[in-house]
Amino acid sequence: MTSSTRKDASEHTGGAGLLVDEVVGVGEAARAARADAYDRWLRGLLRRRPGVALIAVGGLGRRQCAPHGDLDLVLLHAGVPGVDELAASVWYPVWDAGLRLDHSVRTVAEALSVAQDDVKVALGLLDARLVAGDAALADTLVRTAADHWRRTAVRQLPALREITAARWAAHGELAFLLEGDLKEAAGGLRDVGILRAVATAGITDALRPAVRAAHLRLLDTRDALHRQVGRRVDRLVAQERDGVAALLGLRHLPPGTADAALPPPRAGDVRQFPPGAADAAQRAAAGTVGDGDALLRRVAGDARTVSHALDDAFRAADRLRSGRRRGADGRPLRRPVARDVVEHDGELVLARTAIGARPDPSLSLRVAAAAAVTRLPIARATCEWLAAYCPPLPAPWPAEARAALITLLGAGPGLVPAWETCDRYGLIERWLPEWTRLRSLPQHNPVHRFTLDRHLVQTAYEASRHTREVDRPDLLLLGGLLHDVGKGLPGDHSTVGAPLAEAVAARIGLPAPEVALIGTLVRLHLLLPDVATRRDLADPVTIAGVAERVGDPATLDLLHALVRADAAATGPAAWSQWKGRLVAELVARVRTALDTGVLPAPPAPDPALLAGPLPVVHLSADRVAVAAADRRGLLATVAGCLALHRLEVLSADASTVDGRALVECRVQPRYGLAPDPIALGADLRRAVNGDVSVIQRLRGRALAARAGGAAPRVVWHREAATDAVLLELRAADAAGLLYRVTCALDEAGAQVRAARISTLGGDVVDAFYLVGGWPAEADRARLEAAVLAAV
């Protein structure tokens, strides 16, 4: 290590030696340099005594030290006196240096006893390495721990698998997460440690070259993340991706710019930017801008490699533990499950006749379908054979291949693992060449939890729950797989994706009318939720417009099933009971129009609001209804009072009947806790009667709640309603936003008869129905300015 890659740390730790977090670089050589620095410093801390050894485990034991990693140390001794004082002479300087330390003091017998009871400790000892002291004592522990693991690994792996499954449930799958934990998530660095343990036990060749390469890249990513943030952190959050990508040599270049940036780092390359606040400026001076999407796609591919290898390893261990099932003749049992596919030792393999004959182009699809239906894994050798010898599918596909694809997509829970296995061996892109572009593509909308490819497969899985509700379940499944195929390309992904989906459907062999229907499903897959949450469903123009675009009840049913599958595959923030009710209401009204040709009549006002003395206030869990003497500004007053009580308004309708102003709002608690109905009712009554104290509280709270963010935008829609024009506000979400906007519109002379609020992550799309005809250009500009000023 040269002087350019280290600094004297005596000023920080009082002569502690080289501080390893001053080692500059990302890569294998930088990790080794940090390990050397730790070793050199720790040797100086341990006073030499017979029968004492300082053992490193974890990252230091493997010589894979992250820039801001912790130290895992064991002070091993042979029962010598004064060992506690000796340990303190090592631990305290480590703490004084500001380093995180996991430490223990044990004899060889104690260490082995703990490892026998705790499988995580047993795995940790496989990384044990002597740093200083008695080499013979350390060798005894290392050899004995490894021997013990080899003898007991098959028996201990079920417990390890249970712990691992709990960790996966808590942290998710790194390959499909937009902000995954590089260490703890499935497919992360922690799983590589399990693979290393499986390989040490000789169960299977878990650390294949592809796994080793993926491991090194994940380590590099973790190191770059530490350098970018300046502290220990393992979650690759969105705001750090571009900086991490730049440190790894994954760069965006402006259009037309030659690639003059640094080449990607080689294994062991420590020539990178130094840490600290100057990183961004130095990268900018070098002409590099990190490509965060490229980084996410690389991490996803590496995590998939690790996850698939670990699945193989656990299955191999299961077979060793349970032994092969054999028939009466002593041969391993082989059970036919589909044509050319048999179960053998809990895995699917090809029948001998399939291997000997000329391969059928649909064979890989039929194997995948059998795996999904039986929920059995495909043997690794079978995947490799299919990748090497299965011929490409002709265009159009034969009927057998098309049937196998539909069976695969409709298999339910078995779909995702079968699809993922086929993707790891390159089979999917043979069926669907478009998959190469879609694989691991990030989706930056915060409501999405998966990368694009996993979202598409997950949508097909969710669609399989609704196949009995539609006339063409096969087209529903295929539409679910292809609905977002246009993402990642310029333009609206629904519009761009429709011809791409039609091309896939034609290649698969669907007849022309069904190809066109697939295009319609992709083009309109957002129609129902967009209209249901942003338009007045009581307005005949709304229903007529949707009915005209959908065309027939069968297509309507397919779209309704698809939107629910899409939302379930997106994440919990994409759907709610309220949204589901709105979509169902829209579907029912449109079906009536399609079946009868008659548009449904608007719902009648609540009779309870038309009787009794004013004001009238009715409250329920998700509805607030108010009747008061007719006056302007009532909607704004009600909206402000609801914001004061931390209620979000999902929709609002205002009307006048027999001199009474009626306001009905659908609401939900902003923070999950319902307000006190007595206090809310009292404030509503005082507010609509013009109580000045309540109005002052509303204005003060609303002004305090303003939110920043990207510049808001106003969009006008001319023919979206029967008796009104539509003003659509796209802005950052904030408490009290509806109150401020309705106040601004009221002060500008506009009358709001309805409002629809649609929240998309941190943004909203709020639609306001303004009574009257199309305003003049000057009036539109005035109203638009008033709304934007209120935001």
Side-chain angles (χ1 to χ4, degrees), residues 140-289:
T140 299
L141 175 64
V142 171
R143 275 190 301 101
T144 308
D147 289 344
H148 181 266
W149 172 253
R150 292 188 186 97
R151 292 194 308 271
T152 63
V154 173
R155 188 169 67 249
Q156 294 196 68
L157 278 177
L160 179 60
R161 191 172 190 171
E162 188 174 322
I163 295 170
T164 302
R167 171 169 53 82
W168 291 346
H171 294 278
E173 298 175 83
L174 180 58
F176 307 117
L177 295 172
L178 297 176
E179 294 189 340
D181 190 304
L182 296 170
K183 186 174 183 179
E184 303 293 347
L189 294 170
R190 185 78 73 186
D191 286 352
V192 179
I194 300 175
L195 288 172
R196 189 166 48 251
V198 171
T200 300
I203 294 173
T204 184
D205 57 337
L207 292 178
R208 300 189 289 274
V211 176
R212 294 179 186 273
H215 181 212
L216 288 176
R217 286 190 293 267
L218 288 173
L219 286 172
D220 290 349
T221 303
R222 189 266 316 268
D223 293 356
L225 179 60
H226 282 204
R227 300 223 67 84
Q228 172 70 16
V229 178
R231 58 184 174 84
R232 177 185 173 179
V233 59
D234 295 322
R235 185 171 295 280
L236 184 59
V237 296
Q239 62 264 32
E240 308 298 348
R241 283 199 295 259
D242 285 350
V244 172
L247 286 169
L248 294 171
L250 302 171
R251 294 163 306 282
H252 268 309
L253 291 176
T257 302
D259 190 357
L262 293 173
R266 300 181 302 275
D269 187 5
V270 296
R271 182 177 56 82
Q272 291 287 348
F273 297 109
D279 276 2
Q282 293 190 28
R283 287 195 298 274
T288 61
V289 179

Side-chain angles (χ1 to χ4, degrees), residues 473-555:
D474 54 338
L475 298 186
L476 172 61
L477 296 170
L478 191 57
L481 181 69
L482 299 176
H483 74 284
D484 278 346
V485 72
K487 282 190 174 178
L489 299 174
D492 179 87
H493 77 277
S494 300
T495 303
V496 173
L500 298 177
E502 289 172 350
V504 173
R507 189 169 67 245
I508 287 173
L510 295 182
E514 295 175 10
V515 169
L517 182 51
I518 289 293
T520 298
L521 293 180
V522 173
R523 189 178 297 107
L524 302 183
H525 76 272
L526 296 178
L527 175 66
L528 297 182
D530 283 353
V531 171
T533 57
R534 301 180 188 179
R535 298 294 182 263
D536 182 4
L537 303 188
D539 194 318
V541 170
T542 300
I543 306 305
V546 175
E548 181 180 3
R549 297 186 68 184
V550 171
D552 59 80
T555 302

Side-chain angles (χ1 to χ4, degrees), residues 174-178 292-305 387 418-444 450-457 481 484-489:
L174 180 58
F176 307 117
L177 295 172
L178 297 176
D293 284 2
L295 173 63
L296 273 183
R297 298 186 82 159
R298 192 176 86 168
V299 168
D302 292 336
R304 284 170 146 166
T305 298
W419 190 278
E420 182 65 15
T421 296
C422 292
D423 197 20
R424 294 312 301 155
Y425 289 91
L427 299 178
I428 302 297
E429 57 199 31
R430 290 189 177 187
W431 311 335
L432 305 171
E434 297 82 1
W435 205 254
T436 302
R437 179 179 62 81
L438 304 174
R439 183 184 294 111
S440 303
L441 189 67
Q443 302 192 87
H444 297 294
F450 291 135
T451 53
L452 178 57
D453 55 335
R454 174 59 185 275
H455 170 70
L456 294 176
V457 178
L481 181 69
D484 278 346
V485 72
K487 282 190 174 178
L489 299 174

Side-chain angles (χ1 to χ4, degrees), residues 615-662:
V616 179
V617 175
H618 286 174
L619 305 177
S620 64
D622 63 352
R623 178 177 174 268
V624 173
V626 176
D630 189 13
R631 67 176 178 84
R632 291 181 57 179
L634 182 62
L635 175 58
T637 300
V638 172
C641 200
L642 297 177
L644 187 64
H645 288 263
R646 296 181 175 141
L647 283 173
E648 288 184 332
V649 178
L650 302 173
S651 70
D653 291 285
S655 60
T656 302
V657 178
D658 297 333
R660 291 183 176 226
L662 311 180

